[in-house]
Amino acid sequence: MDRALGSSVVSAATQQGGFSPGVAARLVTSTGRRAFLKAVGSSLNPDTPTLFRNEIAAMQGLAAHSLPHTPFLYDVYDDGDWVGMLMEDIDGYLPPHPWHPQDATRVLDALEELTAALQPSPWPDAPVAAVCTATCKAQWTCRRCRTM
């Protein structure tokens, strides 16, 4: 993945937290370029490589659009077991759990903007994730779920 960055990696800072096992690291190259690397193998969690493949497909679909809330996907690695993605490193942080209302509002507002900007969908066969179930209601307090 060094060739995708155009220079060699000189530092890597592991990022704590997240939603899946595996590597999550912020990288800096010899030219000062920054990137974010995520990688996982089936030995860490047999379901996560498929989730990463779905994320890659979504990011590739978004690549044709110029959207403010989506990092650029530089490169992908998939050997059938390990899946990795190298993307633009954007400023941000992992929200605390449970989320603060301002973090949830920022995410929901961004999703509304993306929904409006992505008509028609760049990934028409995407798995449906916008259904608020009883499990969702039990784990999240969000403005959409409160109205159901």
Side-chain angles (χ1 to χ4, degrees):
M1 290 191 177
D2 274 352
R3 72 177 182 273
L5 294 174
S7 57
S8 59
V9 174
V10 295
S11 73
T14 299
Q15 301 301 292
Q16 299 299 316
F19 299 103
S20 57
V23 175
R26 287 186 141 139
L27 310 176
V28 179
T29 70
S30 58
T31 61
R33 192 169 181 188
R34 296 175 18 199
F36 184 70
L37 173 69
K38 291 173 56 170
V40 69
S42 61
S43 62
L44 298 173
N45 181 324
D47 298 325
T48 305
T50 299
L51 295 174
F52 274 32
R53 289 181 186 104
N54 286 341
E55 184 176 351
I56 290 165
M59 291 185 75
Q60 289 170 333
L62 293 173
H65 303 271
S66 179
L67 301 168
H69 303 295
T70 56
F72 182 77
L73 182 63
Y74 294 131
D75 204 0
V76 171
Y77 175 84
D78 190 341
D79 67 10
D81 182 26
W82 276 85
V83 178
M85 60 190 100
L86 183 68
M87 64 191 82
E88 177 184 9
D89 183 33
I90 57 175
D91 290 329
Y93 61 93
L94 181 66
H97 184 73
W99 282 16
H100 295 144
Q102 65 270 20
D103 290 321
T105 297
R106 288 182 66 206
V107 169
L108 292 172
D109 289 346
L111 288 173
E112 284 180 21
E113 288 178 38
L114 289 172
T115 298
L118 297 172
Q119 296 298 328
S121 172
W123 188 22
D125 299 327
V128 176
V131 176
C132 197
T133 65
T135 302
C136 172
K137 289 181 190 178
Q139 295 177 355
W140 292 76
T141 302
C142 69
R143 63 183 178 206
R144 284 182 179 55
C145 294
R146 284 193 300 254
T147 63
M148 300 181 94

